[in-house]
Amino acid sequence: MKHDLQHRSRAHFAWAGLLAATVAPAVLASPPLPADALPGGQTTVHATGRTAFSFPLANLGDAERTRFVVGNSFFRRNWVEAPASTTARDGLGPHFIARSCGGCHVQDGRGAPPEFRKGLHDAPVSLLFRLSVPGTDVHGGIVPEPTYGDQLDNNAVQGVQPEGQIDIRYRKVQVRLKDGTRHTLLHPTYRLRDLAYGPVVPGTMVSPRIAPQLIGVGLLEAIAEADIETNVREQAARPDAIKGQTNRVWDVFAQRVVIGRFGWKANVGTLAHQTAGAFLGDIGITSPPFPRQACTAAQEDCLQAPAGGHGEQTEIDANTLEDVVFYQAALAPPARRQPGHPEVIRGQRLFQQAHCAACHRPSYTTATPLFPRMSSPAVVGQTIWPYTDLLVHDMGDGLADHRPDGRASGRHWKTPPLWGIGLIHDVNGHTRLLHDGRARNVTEAILWHGGEAQASRDFFARLTAAERSALVRFVESL
Amino acid sequence: MSTPINTSKRQFLRQATLPLWLTALPAAVWAQTPVTPAAVVRFHAELVHATYADTLAAAETLQAAVASFVKAPDAAALETARRAWLAAREFYGQTEAFRFYGGPIDDDKGPEGRLNAWPLDEAYIDRIQGRPEAGLINRRSVAITKAHLSQLNEKGGEENIAAGWHAIEFMLWGQDQRADGAGQRPASDFIDGQAPNADRRRLYLSVVTELLVDDLRSLVTAWAPGARNYRQRFEAGGTESLRKIIIGLGSLSRGELAGERMEVALNTQDQEDEHSCFSDNTHRDIVNNALGIQNVWLARCVRRDGSLLQGASPAALLTQVDAALAQRLTQQIALSVTRAQAIQAPFDREIIGGKDAPGRQRVQAVIDSLVAQAKGLVDAAAALGITRLNLVNA
């Protein structure tokens, strides 16, 4: 993982995006490209390689670029243990998973499960484990495990015990396609071990969640709620099994229930809530909306650990938190690669025929996000191509985590956006997909689809090798 | 008339024999003959090689000073080593204009993260105030070798920096605890019986310095003339190489120097956000970065031996297409250097205060000029007809 970290060299994107901005019109002039060549509309940057996910929106304003750089620094740089000589970024932990946002969202990209060597694996970093017990809270959300809270933190500051560790095992599952091609899928099981504060209560549910790439999240936030509701209605009217639904979640910034858009179960409504929640849960940084550490009553060492920050204030202040939210909202989707290639076009047609696009809805025109102060006017009114309906779907037994989260059941997963999927290898050096990274490439990810998506998966499994390759190539062109 | 850019490019190529409109560029000896993109690219490679070679030579002097110091640690030898570090940084700062396009310094295997990563978490390397047991140096089971420090660099977090300029800087100066000056690490930290693990501190300093020299040597090799190396491919790269040159300049101007190194520091007013915080040398880092940009733009640099290296420049190439833009950009780049020189040391005091604090205004003035020059560079790229090459190349 350390090889993916690109230290300082990432900083130049604020400039390079500017160059990309001037390029776009020239690109469109000749030769003609498909309308969906620029997935982010005018926000699209022309970027490939390791830094492809780290550029600011091509149409971002000058003053906003300064804010982008500042937000980036707080996103990427390590938080340190309190007390420390540095005062801007102290307060790590007591419990944590990573020392910075960029620790999991490496290069603003996607995490992967830990590598296995001789049957052993390192502690996962960009794969976190949510915990809960049966029941719902007042807003319909989850009930945290009483001793460990709503996630397992496998790291801690000096003098505090990490909550525990996780063992990952993969069972090999053979799949045979119609033309005889065989694929081996990895079916994971997860086991908690070395729990520092005693066993979890019986009935505890565990759900793995990989850190996704962040490009375009500001645009996803600008999709109108009405458009998401339309997706529900259109799917309800379909004759087939595809019946997506919205998750409805409490938002700490809006102070009301909103449609969930982020997280693998659409269990978070806004980037701001997601960010403040991750600061607290994953890095142990308190913020105005979440002013208290997530230590439970049973975790005495956690409760007694020194806090960082500045006296009465939280470890990250409201302005800085908003800058970090803004930074993410301003990350641009990169242009597609070879969208006009005949094989890609053929694959795009098959994608339609397989009804992939029923859930992976190609396009929207964006509206205004809920919190404009934490986003940019650049995201408004863009024709975008994210390939998601932002709804949760029953994806079958194979993928089920059996852990409900709001209105999402233990078999539900949100349709993830597909933009940037073909660049994950460039950025993060792997092609691990799905909510826990079990799929090692696009083909495996498709073959894992079940439940509402079973028919689409079966359509794919009946295709010829050339057709499957074209469909995958289309997906990887996104 | 679909793309006016291409038209002007064709024009300037055809009109190559026309007399050049000379700008205020100094010593335009090359102005007799037209400047071609190929000539600019070729000379750029020479400039890169020369600057890395000077940096390597200065780093070898540092290595010699470190060797003397660890052999017989005392205050005078420590001071000599510190001066050698400062002298070598003068050249390294200028090389940062060669970053950001995936060249030898920062391609997949490039040593940039091992050379110049910052900010570093001091406690990852050595004891700090209040934590006497902290750091790799004080864990005697940790092997201090080049290979191992390489492996430990950035392990588990981007600030877990085990190697590079700033690791050496921390070894030589120690934590900067004072408001009015640099770190005050005593030579006794390196003397057996006066500080725990002094032997390992000596070893650490020697090994990270050797690693730095190795990495710089690899860059000199990659850019050496007449070899099958990166330089050979770069020189054959035509307009694509020209695009890389400009990406390097623009990226260092806007995102890195203006953004990461100054705007963030102005925002946090925190010492951790200054580039060379142990030695309080950040003001020179800024000047040398700005100078490095100017070197590339004007294709000239002052060598370590005082001689002037000069050749076909991007500025001259642009002059043939859009003389007014070239002149404006050349002046802007010069203004950035002048304004950078006006920043007062120490930088961590310069960034403190309200909006009208003179220090903050001096820093902001550099930022403003760099932002303007980055925009000028975008215009320059367009004028030189290289924008289409920024298209994806999958």
Side-chain angles (χ1 to χ4, degrees):
Chain A
M1 197 195 90
K2 70 191 161 83
H3 302 293
D4 293 330
L5 296 170
Q6 179 66 354
H7 29 95
R8 299 300 118 202
S9 346
R10 215 184 306 178
H12 63 289
F13 310 120
W15 181 78
L18 208 61
L19 184 54
T22 57
V23 175
V27 176
L28 289 174
S30 65
L33 290 173
D36 56 354
L38 302 176
Q42 292 164 320
T43 71
T44 309
V45 291
H46 295 277
T48 58
R50 184 183 203 174
T51 53
F53 292 161
S54 301
F55 289 83
L57 305 170
N59 57 343
L60 202 63
D62 260 343
E64 292 180 307
R65 284 169 195 267
T66 298
R67 197 177 178 197
F68 181 87
V69 170
V70 171
N72 184 13
S73 105
F74 279 91
F75 183 89
R76 178 162 42 82
R77 291 195 195 166
N78 280 2
W79 291 77
V80 298
E81 292 182 21
S85 55
T86 169
T87 53
R89 296 181 190 83
D90 76 332
L92 174 72
H95 290 133
F96 63 96
I97 293 174
R99 289 177 169 83
S100 67
C101 309
C104 297
H105 300 279
V106 178
Q107 299 275 88
D108 308 294
R110 177 179 293 243
E115 289 290 331
F116 279 73
R117 266 188 305 263
K118 297 175 184 164
L120 299 172
H121 63 80
D122 287 341
V125 176
S126 51
L127 176 63
L128 83 82
F129 292 85
R130 294 223 167 279
L131 306 173
S132 57
V133 293
T136 53
D137 71 3
V138 288
H139 303 300
I142 61 106
V143 179
E145 200 283 335
T147 307
Y148 293 91
D150 62 0
Q151 68 181 66
L152 185 78
D153 280 3
N154 58 6
N155 215 331
V157 298
Q158 294 184 79
V160 178
Q161 310 174 80
E163 289 186 319
Q165 301 300 328
I166 205 99
D167 266 338
I168 305 174
R169 294 276 165 79
Y170 289 115
R171 181 167 53 85
K172 290 183 174 168
V173 180
Q174 303 295 331
V175 175
R176 194 167 174 279
L177 308 187
K178 183 160 179 284
D179 69 359
T181 307
R182 288 172 193 280
H183 285 279
T184 305
L185 305 182
L186 301 180
H187 192 293
T189 50
Y190 303 102
R191 193 175 61 85
L192 302 173
R193 66 169 166 84
D194 299 343
L195 291 172
Y197 306 97
V200 294
V201 300
T204 297
M205 300 173 287
V206 181
S207 178
R209 310 284 174 95
I210 210 95
Q213 71 267 30
L214 298 171
I215 47 159
V217 287
L219 293 161
L220 294 177
E221 214 173 26
I223 292 174
E225 288 208 344
D227 283 349
I228 303 173
E229 301 283 14
T230 300
N231 293 339
V232 177
R233 279 197 306 278
E234 287 183 354
Q235 291 177 14
R238 291 177 67 94
D240 59 18
I242 296 170
K243 304 283 176 251
Q245 66 180 64
T246 54
N247 203 345
R248 302 264 170 181
V249 295
W250 175 254
D251 189 88
V252 73
F253 284 82
Q255 286 293 306
R256 62 178 170 87
V257 169
V258 299
I259 291 183
R261 297 166 193 250
F262 301 108
W264 285 98
K265 293 217 181 213
N267 47 312
V268 180
T270 64
L271 214 44
H273 184 112
Q274 173 69 34
T275 304
F279 262 121
L280 184 73
D282 303 344
I283 317 180
I285 300 299
T286 57
S287 60
F290 297 116
R292 270 180 297 282
Q293 284 295 350
C295 312
T296 65
Q299 300 174 337
E300 259 179 55
D301 57 352
C302 182
L303 290 165
Q304 286 165 9
H310 322 275
E312 299 294 294
Q313 293 169 24
T314 53
E315 290 162 339
I316 189 168
D317 62 65
N319 283 341
T320 308
L321 178 66
E322 292 189 6
D323 287 347
V324 177
V325 176
F326 173 85
Y327 165 72
Q328 297 164 86
L331 285 168
R336 290 178 60 200
R337 283 78 52 214
Q338 300 187 310
H341 191 282
E343 190 182 15
V344 171
I345 303 280
R346 201 153 61 240
Q348 187 163 17
R349 212 175 303 127
L350 290 161
F351 185 86
Q352 290 287 345
Q353 287 167 13
H355 301 304
C356 304
C359 301
H360 290 284
R361 172 175 159 177
S363 188
Y364 298 84
T365 299
T366 55
T368 304
L370 191 54
F371 306 120
R373 73 174 190 280
M374 287 183 266
S375 187
S376 165
V379 303
V380 180
Q382 297 296 327
T383 300
I384 61 168
W385 302 79
Y387 291 86
T388 174
D389 56 8
L390 295 176
L391 304 179
V392 294
H393 298 268
D394 181 334
M395 294 300 290
D397 272 334
L399 288 174
D401 67 347
H402 307 291
R403 178 183 177 274
D405 197 334
R407 287 170 33 159
S409 77
R411 294 162 60 92
H412 273 138
W413 294 105
K414 182 196 72 185
T415 312
L418 297 181
W419 52 17
I421 199 168
L423 288 168
I424 294 169
H425 186 264
D426 275 24
V427 174
N428 298 114
H430 68 80
T431 53
R432 304 300 291 258
L433 297 171
L434 298 175
H435 65 275
D436 56 2
R438 67 177 70 184
R440 291 170 293 185
N441 51 50
V442 171
T443 299
E444 288 188 12
I446 295 170
L447 293 173
W448 272 109
H449 282 55
E452 296 176 35
Q454 187 70 43
S456 296
R457 179 251 175 233
D458 293 346
F459 180 96
F460 178 78
R462 285 193 302 273
L463 295 177
T464 65
E467 289 169 329
R468 292 198 306 274
S469 157
L471 194 150
V472 168
R473 181 158 182 183
F474 163 71
V475 172
E476 289 178 345
S477 79
L478 298 175
Chain B
M1 197 36 220
S2 62
T3 50
I5 288 162
N6 283 349
T7 311
S8 59
K9 185 186 170 193
R10 272 197 303 276
Q11 265 170 5
F12 101 75
L13 289 174
R14 240 186 278 123
Q15 297 167 354
T17 52
L18 292 179
L20 294 179
W21 194 93
L22 292 181
T23 65
L25 297 179
V29 290
W30 28 261
Q32 307 306 324
T33 51
V35 175
T36 63
V40 170
V41 166
R42 268 199 311 278
F43 182 77
H44 180 75
E46 196 177 331
L47 178 90
V48 173
H49 178 253
T51 315
Y52 277 132
D54 283 345
T55 309
L56 174 61
E60 284 168 343
T61 303
L62 166 66
Q63 191 177 22
V66 162
S68 301
F69 171 64
V70 298
K71 211 167 176 186
D74 63 19
L78 179 57
E79 186 53 30
T80 305
R82 286 174 178 167
R83 286 182 189 283
W85 186 90
L86 292 170
R89 287 291 291 177
E90 291 292 305
F91 295 98
Y92 188 77
Q94 297 174 48
T95 71
E96 293 201 84
F98 317 144
R99 288 175 51 194
F100 306 111
Y101 54 76
I105 179 69
D106 56 6
D107 66 9
D108 284 353
K109 296 190 178 70
E112 208 281 331
R114 202 164 51 210
L115 271 171
N116 199 35
W118 69 285
L120 65 79
D121 181 357
E122 305 105 308
Y124 187 63
I125 297 178
D126 199 358
R127 61 181 184 173
I128 58 167
Q129 209 170 50
R131 289 180 59 190
E133 79 304 334
L136 304 167
I137 285 173
N138 298 303
R139 280 160 43 206
R140 295 201 71 93
S141 59
V142 175
I144 299 175
T145 62
K146 285 191 282 185
H148 196 222
L149 293 189
S150 247
Q151 202 186 339
L152 290 172
N153 198 51
E154 297 190 329
K155 188 181 171 77
E158 278 189 61
E159 288 179 20
N160 291 342
I161 306 306
W165 290 107
H166 301 292
I168 300 172
E169 183 196 5
F170 173 54
M171 294 310 294
L172 294 177
W173 274 272
Q175 280 186 290
D176 180 5
Q177 304 281 16
R178 304 185 318 162
D180 58 342
Q184 298 281 300
R185 188 193 284 277
S188 59
D189 271 13
F190 297 86
I191 300 175
D192 293 330
Q194 298 193 22
N197 298 316
D199 57 330
R200 286 172 61 81
R201 211 163 277 115
R202 292 195 301 273
L203 180 62
Y204 199 99
L205 176 58
S206 303
V207 170
V208 286
T209 306
E210 194 181 329
L211 190 56
L212 178 99
V213 168
D214 286 357
D215 281 335
L216 291 172
R217 192 172 292 122
S218 78
L219 295 170
V220 173
T221 306
W223 287 96
R228 288 173 63 95
N229 57 5
Y230 182 83
R231 176 169 175 170
Q232 191 184 52
R233 296 192 297 280
F234 185 87
E235 287 188 355
T239 322
E240 168 63 12
S241 294
L242 194 58
R243 184 187 74 96
K244 287 177 174 165
I245 293 172
I246 293 184
I247 285 207
L249 297 183
S251 305
L252 180 58
S253 298
R254 179 67 188 93
E256 182 71 19
L257 184 53
E260 283 279 314
R261 298 190 181 179
M262 290 191 280
E263 287 180 330
V264 171
L266 279 185
N267 177 276
T268 64
Q269 306 199 11
D270 189 76
Q271 187 199 69
E272 195 202 348
D273 291 311
E274 73 159 326
H275 190 64
S276 295
C277 67
F278 309 115
S279 61
D280 271 346
N281 195 46
T282 306
H283 61 297
R284 291 303 305 168
D285 293 328
I286 295 167
V287 169
N288 287 315
N289 282 173
L291 190 62
I293 293 165
Q294 191 178 39
N295 290 349
V296 171
W297 182 244
L298 299 180
R300 62 195 295 270
C301 73
V302 179
R303 301 291 309 266
R304 191 160 176 257
D305 64 7
S307 64
L308 183 71
L309 181 69
Q310 189 162 337
S313 70
L317 191 65
L318 180 62
T319 300
Q320 294 170 172
V321 191
D322 187 340
L325 174 60
Q327 186 179 23
R328 209 164 58 236
L329 187 49
T330 298
Q331 284 169 351
Q332 193 71 54
I333 288 172
L335 184 65
S336 296
V337 176
T338 312
R339 286 182 175 178
Q341 286 163 338
I343 292 179
Q344 296 177 11
F347 183 77
D348 54 7
R349 305 318 299 169
E350 197 80 340
I351 57 178
I352 305 293
K355 217 179 164 105
D356 49 359
R360 290 176 65 85
Q361 287 181 340
R362 284 189 288 270
V363 175
Q364 188 62 50
V366 187
I367 293 169
D368 293 344
S369 182
L370 289 167
V371 168
Q373 90 186 28
K375 281 189 202 157
L377 285 161
V378 172
D379 296 340
L384 292 170
I386 61 174
T387 49
R388 286 179 66 92
L389 288 179
N390 195 38
L391 269 175
V392 287
N393 46 11

